[in-house]
């Protein structure tokens, strides 16, 4: 063989070697990448591709279809392609992947351009490749690691293109992208930054969000609005270049300033935070319940329990968004603008504010020390609560690092070691002033206080609890558990129980009416003496009227309307505590009730939740319906997991319930007192007074049955309001019972709880979109056997009760 031929053969072999070897190398690399050989990590499985693992936020809905809040590790809620604005789709394709509809996951033309220009003329990653990249949880630190991941991204991109339509790929891409600031996915992004759904985004808003895709931290509209606007205009230019918008539209749109409607997303923020926290606890219990065999009662197909933080559940509640807004407004209007100022003025006269002057220094010290030990600062420093992981963290073990004690905490998205301090060290920190932000009704105040002084400061605030429900369905419509969840997390609707005072009296009266007594029945207005030994008493007891006035006889209606203790005591003496407790239990009261005469005056601690449910019995024709706040829960695909039907039972006959409403209407109207010879307004009469600057919550002319309540030393103020369609309970008081108004003028329920009810109902009545009855309560079809007209009653009984009932 000639040397020339040998040289040619050698050249051909070298040529093909140079061509084939790289190709074979690439093929082998791709095979290794696809099959996790040679150090390549496993690819996401087909199951993960078809059901990509996302931490989907669970959404809580009101009865009128609005989102009340979310539970999440990531604030992500997926949407379908049809729910995405065409503006978003056009902006995405124009900016990120112009040939999206022409390739199968890898843009060869773009890849060649990127290689030839060493990436200077733009990247080559397609939308599908970017989606594939999102499926990897970690970014490789080395260059070789990045190359290996890039190869796997190509493989995944090709698989995605085979398994999904282009529309599905775009939806998956938008659903997975993290727009930062607790906005994961396009639904959250559109809502957090612009307050709309993805379908409602304007063109310039869509361009802003697509601009963030390049680097959301760099183009964060909250921190860098000018830079973000420039990036938005680049997206608009790309849309013009791709003939999606015209030159005129581009010139007009680029001039529009960046305008956000930002809504901070936090579990503590938003409407009904106390309710959402109670609901969260209930859901946690619900999803952890097991049957006798140890299986979760509510579980997914694989037997695992549902997780409200990442399973994308839809939780449908009974709350009405508007009524909830009006309830929160009412609490703020009265406490924030009126009552708290009166209370601060009242505290100025105290020797040891905010505590009552009859407390000793030692008693005050004990109250403050108990508060210290319950504080988050003390719990964290003593190793009883996690630091960074917060209340959701679970303490796994106690460890020691360099001779220092720590507790190891963990949560789903958190792991942390919390340092543990000696108790003596902790107590010292409570006397050291530190910078802090404290609550005020006018907004947070930057100040310097010692933690101990901040505890005293916070104890000077009046708290409130309000619940409102539909008496027919049992559906709770509004729930205000306190004045500010961030600073006062204790719920005063269901969790808190306080003395109910005179709001308990209707249970006593209901027994009398059930026994056939008329509201017109008259009782001597004189102190009633419960003798020693009677009902287990250790000594004689004679309750007094709060105003100290006695004389003559008064009707039951007048006695309840003006909350006379003499009348209620007489009825308690007639029927006894056990019969009254039986009545309260039938109407849904589950709290502890002592069988003592003082029960008639409301010495029992009962929750707002129980009281509202009980009073609803009157408006529901004698049927007690357990208050509920959940209707159903669905999984992310819309399958119903659980549905709720209210529990109901007959507690009173229809006549008794109606007569009780007539009695309770006397609280908000005028009633004749023949001893005084004039009409006297009930304790809730100010609801009907014309509105003034000092009484903007009045002016209600529609029928309302109600009851005020004030407890010992004015520690608690109550108002229960009943209308045909809505029953509402309000409690007002401080965290500690020793923090209270010094006079009944300010501390009575008519001045603390009633105005909140007035503000609330005025808002509801003024809103024509809320369908609520403004008429009177429906009368039973059967004729009443109890006379409600006191003139007729007097004629029938010849001005004498003796023919009907006897006190003996």
């Amino acid at each position: 063989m000639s040397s020339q031929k040998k040289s040619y053969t050698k050249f051909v072999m070298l040529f093909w070697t140079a061509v084939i070897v790289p190709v074979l190398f690439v093929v082998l690399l791709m095979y290794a990448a696809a099959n996790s050989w040679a150090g390549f990590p496993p690819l996401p499985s087909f199951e993960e591709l078809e059901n990509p693992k996302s931490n989907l936020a669970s959404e809580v809905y009101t009865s009128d279809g609005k989102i009340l809040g979310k539970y999440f590790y990531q604030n992500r809620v997926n949407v379908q392609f049809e729910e995405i604005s065409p503006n978003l789709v056009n902006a995405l394709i124009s900016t990120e992947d112009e040939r999206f509809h022409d390739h199968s996951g890898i843009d060869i033309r773009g890849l060649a351009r990127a290689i030839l220009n060493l990436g200077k003329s733009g990247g080559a990653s397609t939308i599908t490749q970017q989606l594939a990249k999102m499926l990897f949880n970690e970014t490789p630190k080395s260059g070789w690691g990045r190359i290996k991941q890039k190869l796997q991204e190509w493989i995944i991109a090709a698989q995605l293109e085979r398994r999904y339509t282009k529309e599905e790929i775009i939806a998956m891409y938008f659903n997975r992208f993290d727009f930062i600031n607790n906005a994961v996915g396009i639904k959250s992004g559109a809502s957090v930054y612009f307050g709309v759904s993805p379908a409602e985004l304007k063109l310039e808003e869509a361009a802003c969000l697509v601009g963030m895709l390049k680097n959301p931290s760099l183009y964060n509209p909250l921190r860098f609005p000018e830079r973000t606007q420039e990036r938005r205009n680049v997206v608009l230019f790309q849309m013009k270049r791709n003939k999606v918008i015209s030159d005129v539209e581009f010139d007009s749109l680029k001039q529009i300033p960046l305008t956000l409607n930002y809504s901070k997303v936090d579990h503590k923020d938003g409407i009904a935070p106390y309710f959402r926290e109670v609901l969260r606890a209930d859901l946690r219990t619900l999803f952890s319940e097991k049957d006798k065999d140890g299986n979760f009662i509510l579980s997914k197909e694989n037997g695992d329990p549902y997780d409200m933080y990442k399973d994308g559940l839809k939780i449908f509640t009974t709350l009405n968004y508007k009524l909830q807004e009006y309830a929160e407004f009412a609490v703020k209007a009265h406490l924030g603008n009126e009552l708290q100022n009166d209370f601060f003025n009242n505290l100025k006269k105290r020797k040891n504010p905010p505590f009552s002057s009859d407390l000793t220094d030692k008693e005050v010290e004990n109250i403050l020390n108990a508060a210290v030990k319950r504080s988050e600062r003390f719990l964290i420093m003593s190793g009883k609560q996690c630091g960074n992981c917060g209340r959701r963290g679970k303490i796994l073990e106690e460890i020691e690092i360099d001779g220092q004690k720590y507790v190891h905490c963990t949560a789903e998205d958190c792991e942390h070691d919390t340092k543990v301090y000696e108790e003596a060290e902790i107590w010292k920190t409570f006397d050291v002033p530190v910078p802090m932000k404290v609550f005020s009704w006018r907004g947070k105040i930057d100040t310097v206080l010692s933690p101990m002084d901040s505890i005293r400061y916070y104890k000077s605030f009046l708290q409130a609890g309000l619940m409102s429900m539909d008496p027919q369905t049992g559906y709770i419509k509004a729930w205000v558990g306190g004045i500010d969840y961030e600073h006062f997390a204790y719920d005063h609707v269901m969790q808190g129980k306080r003395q109910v005072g005179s709001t308990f009296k209707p249970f006593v009266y209901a027994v009398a009416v059930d026994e056939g007594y008329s509201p017109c029945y008259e009782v001597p207005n004189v102190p009633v003496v419960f003798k020693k030994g009677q009902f287990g008493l250790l000594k004689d007891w004679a309750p007094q009227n709060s105003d100290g006035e006695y004389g003559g006889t008064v009707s039951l209606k007048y006695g309840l309307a003006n909350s006379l203790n003499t009348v209620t005591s007489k009825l308690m003496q007639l029927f006894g505590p056990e019969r009254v407790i039986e009545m309260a239990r039938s109407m849904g009261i589950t709290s502890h009730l002592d069988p003592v005469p003082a029960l008639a005056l409301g010495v029992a601690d009962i929750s707002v939740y129980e009281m509202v449910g009980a009073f609803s019995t009157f408006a529901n024709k004698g049927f007690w319906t357990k208050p509920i706040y959940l209707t159903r829960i669905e999984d992310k695909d819309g399958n119903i997991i659980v549905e709720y039907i209210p529990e109901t039972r007959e507690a009173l006959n229809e006549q008794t319930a109606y007569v009780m409403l007539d009695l309770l209407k006397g609280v908000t109207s005028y009633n004749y007192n023949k001893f005084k010879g004039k009409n006297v307004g009930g304790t809730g009469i100010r609801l009907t007074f014309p509105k003034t600057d000092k009484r903007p919550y009045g002016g209600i002319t529609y029928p309302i049955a109600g009851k005020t309540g004030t407890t010992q030393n004015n520690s608690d103020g109550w108002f229960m309001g009943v209308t045909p369609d809505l029953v509402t309970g309000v409690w007002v008081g401080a965290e500690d019972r020793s923090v209270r108004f010094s006079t009944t003028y300010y501390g009575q329920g008519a001045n603390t709880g009633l105005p909140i009810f007035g503000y609330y109902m005025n808002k509801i009545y003024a809103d024509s979109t809320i369908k609520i009855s403004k008429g009177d309560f429906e009368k039973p079809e059967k004729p009443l056997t109890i006379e409600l007209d006191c003139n007729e009653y007097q004629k029938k009984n010849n001005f004498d009760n003796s023919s009907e009932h006897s006190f003996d």
Side-chain angles (χ1 to χ4, degrees):
M1 185 181 293
S2 67
S3 60
Q4 187 177 2
K5 191 171 184 179
K6 285 181 179 180
S7 297
Y8 175 75
T9 302
K10 187 176 181 181
F11 171 77
V12 170
M13 291 179 66
L14 287 172
F15 174 78
W16 284 109
T17 299
V19 171
I20 293 173
V21 169
V23 172
L24 284 173
F25 179 72
V26 171
V27 170
L28 286 171
L29 271 180
M30 297 295 285
Y31 189 80
N35 293 277
S36 304
W37 287 3
F40 279 90
L43 284 173
S45 67
F46 284 166
E47 182 183 358
E48 288 173 342
L49 288 173
E50 292 169 3
N51 300 288
K53 289 183 178 177
S54 302
N55 285 332
L56 294 178
S58 292
E59 295 179 309
V60 181
Y61 289 89
T62 60
S63 60
D64 45 339
K66 295 187 178 181
I67 292 180
L68 192 64
K70 300 177 185 179
Y71 302 122
F72 57 84
Y73 292 130
Q74 292 181 322
N75 182 25
R76 182 208 313 273
V77 179
N78 286 349
V79 295
Q80 301 296 317
F81 180 80
E82 294 74 21
E83 300 173 73
I84 299 173
S85 166
N87 292 330
L88 274 168
V89 177
N90 292 331
L92 175 67
I93 294 174
S94 297
T95 308
E96 297 294 328
D97 191 355
E98 294 174 337
R99 288 176 290 280
F100 175 67
H101 289 291
D102 301 325
H103 63 67
S104 298
I106 300 171
D107 184 1
I108 302 299
R109 181 173 156 190
L111 180 61
R113 184 198 67 226
I115 292 172
L116 290 173
N117 293 284
L118 301 176
K120 294 179 181 178
S121 59
S125 289
T126 64
I127 291 172
T128 316
Q129 284 177 265
Q130 292 178 45
L131 173 60
K133 184 178 178 180
M134 292 181 199
L135 297 179
F136 290 90
N137 294 322
E138 297 180 2
T139 301
K141 297 178 181 178
S142 67
W144 171 238
R146 183 68 192 106
I147 291 172
K148 289 194 296 182
Q149 182 173 303
K150 194 71 177 176
L151 291 172
Q152 290 189 315
E153 288 172 14
W154 290 352
I155 294 167
I156 296 170
Q159 291 175 335
L160 286 169
E161 289 279 350
R162 286 201 304 270
R163 291 180 174 272
Y164 296 101
T165 65
K166 293 288 187 179
E167 289 77 14
E168 289 171 328
I169 288 170
I170 286 178
M172 288 172 63
Y173 179 89
F174 274 126
N175 283 330
R176 291 191 69 90
F177 192 83
D178 188 349
F179 290 91
I180 68 175
N181 296 312
N182 260 336
V184 183
I186 192 60
K187 184 171 184 178
S188 293
S191 175
V192 168
Y193 292 111
F194 298 106
V196 297
S197 71
E200 297 169 323
L201 285 167
K202 298 176 183 176
L203 185 52
E204 65 273 17
E205 294 169 343
C208 175
L209 292 173
V210 169
M212 292 178 69
L213 301 177
K214 185 173 183 179
N215 186 328
S217 297
L218 187 65
Y219 299 107
N220 180 346
L222 301 182
R223 295 189 61 194
F224 311 113
E226 293 181 3
R227 185 189 298 167
T228 304
Q229 183 168 334
E230 290 174 5
R231 176 63 186 163
R232 180 204 69 179
N233 290 345
V234 169
V235 174
L236 292 171
F237 175 80
Q238 287 295 108
M239 296 179 76
K240 183 194 80 167
R241 197 171 73 84
N242 284 277
K243 299 185 175 11
V244 175
I245 60 175
S246 66
D247 290 352
V248 174
E249 286 176 305
F250 170 70
D251 290 337
S252 174
L253 288 167
K254 73 177 182 180
Q255 301 299 325
I256 297 176
L258 182 67
T259 304
L260 302 176
N261 182 16
Y262 175 68
S263 301
K264 183 182 177 184
V265 178
D266 188 281
H267 291 302
K268 297 176 182 177
D269 293 332
I271 199 168
Y274 291 90
F275 169 77
R276 286 185 280 116
E277 205 55 36
V278 170
L279 177 60
R280 183 207 303 270
D282 273 4
L283 293 173
R284 191 182 293 118
T285 301
L286 178 68
F287 295 139
S288 63
E289 290 179 343
K290 296 181 179 181
D291 60 23
K292 61 182 180 179
D293 298 320
N295 300 313
F296 289 103
I297 295 174
L298 294 177
S299 63
K300 295 178 276 191
E301 289 184 1
N302 62 3
D304 289 342
Y306 287 98
D307 189 328
M308 64 179 140
Y309 297 106
K310 59 183 183 180
D311 282 340
L313 306 176
K314 288 182 172 58
I315 302 154
F316 296 90
T317 74
T318 62
L319 262 64
N320 178 280
Y321 199 91
K322 279 191 174 181
L323 265 60
Q324 181 64 31
E325 282 188 317
Y326 294 157
E328 292 183 10
F329 160 81
V331 170
K332 184 175 182 179
H334 185 47
L335 263 62
N337 298 333
E338 299 163 351
L339 196 65
Q340 187 63 53
N341 293 331
D342 292 337
F343 193 52
F344 280 148
N345 290 331
N346 193 264
L347 294 180
K348 292 175 183 178
K349 304 170 186 176
R350 309 280 174 90
K351 66 175 184 178
N352 203 346
F355 302 99
S356 174
S357 298
D358 57 7
L359 261 64
T360 65
D361 291 344
K362 185 61 179 176
E363 287 173 324
V364 171
E365 181 183 346
N366 290 340
I367 292 172
L368 291 173
N369 288 347
V372 166
K373 290 190 173 183
R374 291 194 306 267
S375 70
E376 190 170 65
R377 176 188 292 266
F378 189 93
L379 293 173
I380 291 173
M381 294 183 74
S382 60
K384 295 175 183 175
Q385 182 178 309
C386 294
N388 289 359
C389 297
R391 294 182 183 273
R392 71 184 189 282
K394 187 180 294 183
I395 297 175
L396 295 183
E397 59 180 339
E398 196 173 276
I399 59 177
E400 194 170 293
I401 303 174
D402 297 330
Q404 173 64 53
K405 190 186 294 183
Y406 290 81
V407 288
H408 183 66
C409 298
T410 184
E412 180 73 20
D413 58 344
C414 173
E415 191 164 350
H416 177 70
D417 292 330
T418 300
K419 185 178 178 180
V420 180
Y421 294 83
E422 295 294 333
E423 188 165 325
E425 291 183 82
I426 301 173
W427 280 102
K428 288 179 182 177
T429 67
F430 276 82
D431 292 323
V432 178
V434 292
M436 62 175 68
K437 290 185 178 181
V438 296
F439 168 81
S440 84
W441 278 109
R442 303 292 178 266
K444 292 182 183 179
I445 299 173
D446 285 301
T447 187
V448 177
L449 285 176
S450 71
M452 183 64 84
D453 286 338
S454 73
I455 289 174
R456 188 184 286 267
Y457 170 75
Y458 281 130
K459 283 189 177 294
S460 67
F461 280 91
L462 293 171
Q463 303 296 321
L466 179 154
M467 191 182 105
S468 191
M469 69 174 273
D470 181 329
Q472 279 75 45
T473 62
Y475 288 178
I476 296 172
K477 294 298 181 181
W479 180 306
V480 184
I483 61 173
D484 183 86
Y485 182 77
E486 181 179 351
H487 296 91
F488 309 97
Y490 190 77
D491 173 64
H492 292 287
V493 170
M494 181 179 279
Q495 189 177 3
K497 295 185 179 185
R498 296 292 285 259
Q499 278 193 351
V500 292
S502 294
T503 55
F504 193 86
K505 289 177 179 176
F507 299 115
V508 182
Y509 278 75
V511 171
V513 174
D514 204 42
E515 295 292 333
Y517 282 70
S518 166
C520 304
Y521 183 82
E522 294 190 348
V523 176
N525 183 19
V526 295
V528 175
V529 180
F530 291 86
K531 296 292 186 179
K532 177 182 177 181
Q534 190 179 17
F535 306 119
L537 290 177
L538 299 178
K539 60 180 181 179
D540 288 356
W541 180 61
Q544 307 296 302
N545 286 335
S546 60
D547 60 7
E549 293 185 6
Y550 306 95
T553 59
V554 294
S555 66
L556 295 187
K557 188 167 187 177
Y558 185 91
L560 184 62
N562 292 275
S563 210
L564 299 182
N565 291 338
T566 52
V567 179
T568 311
S569 298
K570 189 61 192 178
L571 296 177
M572 176 60 92
Q573 191 178 59
L574 283 171
F575 303 110
E578 294 289 356
R579 178 71 174 88
V580 172
I581 289 174
E582 180 187 337
M583 176 62 72
R585 293 281 184 243
S586 71
M587 294 173 65
I589 300 298
T590 58
S591 293
H592 177 74
L593 302 174
D594 284 320
V596 295
L599 179 65
L601 307 187
V603 296
D605 287 353
I606 304 175
S607 68
V608 173
Y609 173 86
E610 292 172 77
M611 291 297 288
V612 174
F615 270 68
S616 292
T617 308
F618 300 134
N620 195 28
K621 300 182 179 181
F623 282 86
W624 171 78
T625 302
K626 184 177 181 179
I628 67 169
Y629 42 80
L630 273 175
T631 55
R632 71 184 187 279
I633 302 173
E634 296 178 359
D635 66 16
K636 62 184 177 63
D637 298 316
N639 301 307
I640 295 176
I641 297 171
V642 62
E643 284 186 287
Y644 293 88
I645 299 173
E647 174 189 344
T648 186
R649 64 170 176 261
E650 186 174 11
L652 305 168
N653 62 59
E654 187 177 0
Q655 175 175 266
T656 299
Y658 183 76
V659 172
M660 283 303 303
L661 291 171
D662 183 74
L663 276 163
L664 291 166
K665 283 195 293 183
V667 174
T668 59
S669 58
Y670 285 95
N671 303 276
Y672 185 70
N673 183 319
K674 66 181 182 181
F675 180 71
K676 294 183 177 181
K678 63 179 181 179
N679 283 322
V680 178
T683 57
I685 192 64
R686 64 178 73 186
L687 268 179
T688 67
F689 289 167
K691 290 183 182 181
T692 63
D693 290 341
K694 289 187 176 181
R695 197 183 297 110
Y697 54 81
I700 296 177
T701 58
Y702 309 114
I704 289 177
K707 186 68 192 83
T708 57
T710 311
T711 64
Q712 191 77 5
N713 297 321
N714 309 305
S715 293
D716 308 276
W718 289 78
F719 186 76
M720 305 297 301
V722 183
T723 72
D725 297 334
L726 211 57
V727 177
T728 305
V730 182
W731 166 86
V732 175
E735 178 184 310
D736 290 271
R737 301 181 198 223
S738 57
V739 179
R740 56 192 180 235
F741 276 108
S742 57
T743 65
T744 302
Y745 176 83
Y746 285 108
Q748 63 180 307
N751 189 61
T752 60
L754 179 146
I756 294 175
F757 176 83
Y759 278 118
Y760 175 59
M761 293 307 299
N762 268 301
K763 277 282 191 181
I764 293 171
Y765 286 137
D767 190 335
S768 60
T769 66
I770 297 175
K771 305 304 178 186
I772 184 171
S773 170
K774 295 177 181 178
D776 208 341
F777 298 94
E778 185 179 346
K779 193 174 183 178
E781 291 183 4
K782 293 182 179 179
L784 298 178
T785 61
I786 293 178
E787 183 61 65
L788 300 184
D789 185 325
C790 290
N791 289 326
E792 289 297 318
Y793 178 85
Q794 294 291 348
K795 290 177 185 177
K796 291 177 183 176
N797 291 279
N798 299 316
F799 299 92
D800 184 9
N801 289 309
S802 60
S803 62
E804 185 180 4
H805 298 287
S806 172
F807 285 135
D808 297 330

